[in-house]
Amino acid sequence: MSESITVRGFVASEVRRHDTHSGDELATFRMGSTERRFNRQQNTWEDGETNWYSVSCFRGLAKNVAVSLNKGEKVVVHGRLQIRPWTSSDGRAMTTVGIEALTVGHDLMWGISGYRRVTKDNPIPWIAVQTPDPESGTSDPWVDRETGEIQEGNEIAETEDAESGWEQGTNAVPGEDLPELSEETEDAVRAA
């Protein structure tokens, strides 16, 4: 089956990067999409059933997804629906529902996002493609993977490779200037 589908939901797993047998890049993640219903009797919103998808992204999309998405973020995925029956080790008939993504983006209904065009002249920032530290699983060994907090005694300014700590209003990507924001945008960011 190869039908087009667009799904709004959330990233339910960490994005994993792989290489295919032909050498192409592949990024995969699990995605959940939960229906929301309004209960008129209680005047509240309630969660309905959650549909689960295995999302696969190839080549350039795989690279961009791997550095852009994090577990828990709201996303919109458009691609080809793939329904695959299979048999479990105990002989039960199972079905996997997947999406071969053609495009992926943050769902701006729930937050804001920035865009940066990636080209040969303007590649993915070096900090985003660093090899993760095997012990912490992050590119930043001073970051606690569970909480995202900087570990005590390992502040950024104390690390050998950091030239200076991050200050509000500065860009994390060296050599790039931050765009000026309008008052309306700044108010929207403060309200979020």
Side-chain angles (χ1 to χ4, degrees):
M1 178 178 279
S2 182
E3 298 177 23
S4 290
I5 185 172
T6 302
V7 179
R8 292 177 60 197
F10 59 93
V11 179
S13 69
E14 296 297 331
V15 178
R16 294 184 177 175
R17 290 178 66 178
H18 315 273
D19 288 322
T20 64
H21 294 295
S22 62
D24 288 331
E25 292 213 27
L26 167 67
T28 59
F29 63 93
R30 293 285 290 163
M31 177 183 182
S33 179
T34 304
E35 180 183 7
R36 299 275 293 162
R37 295 187 194 113
F38 188 73
N39 183 331
R40 292 178 192 250
Q41 294 173 337
Q42 295 183 1
N43 202 30
T44 60
W45 285 94
E46 298 175 348
D47 287 343
E49 296 293 319
T50 300
N51 291 321
W52 298 97
Y53 303 91
S54 296
V55 180
S56 301
C57 309
F58 294 92
R59 294 173 279 291
L61 179 59
K63 289 179 186 178
N64 295 340
V65 162
V67 298
S68 299
L69 298 186
N70 295 297
K71 184 177 179 180
E73 293 179 342
K74 302 281 190 170
V75 292
V76 178
V77 174
H78 175 78
R80 290 186 275 277
L81 180 64
Q82 299 174 328
I83 300 175
R84 294 204 166 83
W86 56 283
T87 306
S88 67
S89 58
D90 61 358
R92 292 185 303 153
M94 308 291 278
T95 303
T96 298
V97 180
I99 301 173
E100 184 181 324
L102 300 174
T103 189
V104 177
H106 286 110
D107 188 345
L108 299 181
M109 176 74 177
W110 301 102
I112 61 173
S113 185
Y115 175 77
R116 178 175 176 198
R117 182 174 168 85
V118 177
T119 64
K120 288 181 182 179
D121 296 332
N122 189 21
I124 297 172
W126 67 270
I127 197 165
V129 294
Q130 285 182 317
T131 305
D133 177 52
E135 289 182 26
S136 69
T138 69
S139 302
D140 306 317
W142 58 83
V143 176
D144 182 324
R145 185 177 175 133
E146 295 297 315
T147 65
E149 295 177 358
I150 296 173
Q151 296 176 4
E152 192 172 323
N154 288 319
E155 283 75 20
I156 293 173
E158 293 178 8
T159 62
E160 293 177 17
D161 61 343
E163 294 176 4
S164 65
W166 180 80
E167 296 176 23
Q168 188 171 356
T170 62
N171 199 335
V173 181
E176 286 192 8
D177 294 328
L178 288 174
E180 293 293 321
L181 299 178
S182 68
E183 279 186 40
E184 294 155 354
T185 304
E186 286 182 4
D187 290 342
V189 170
R190 280 189 207 100

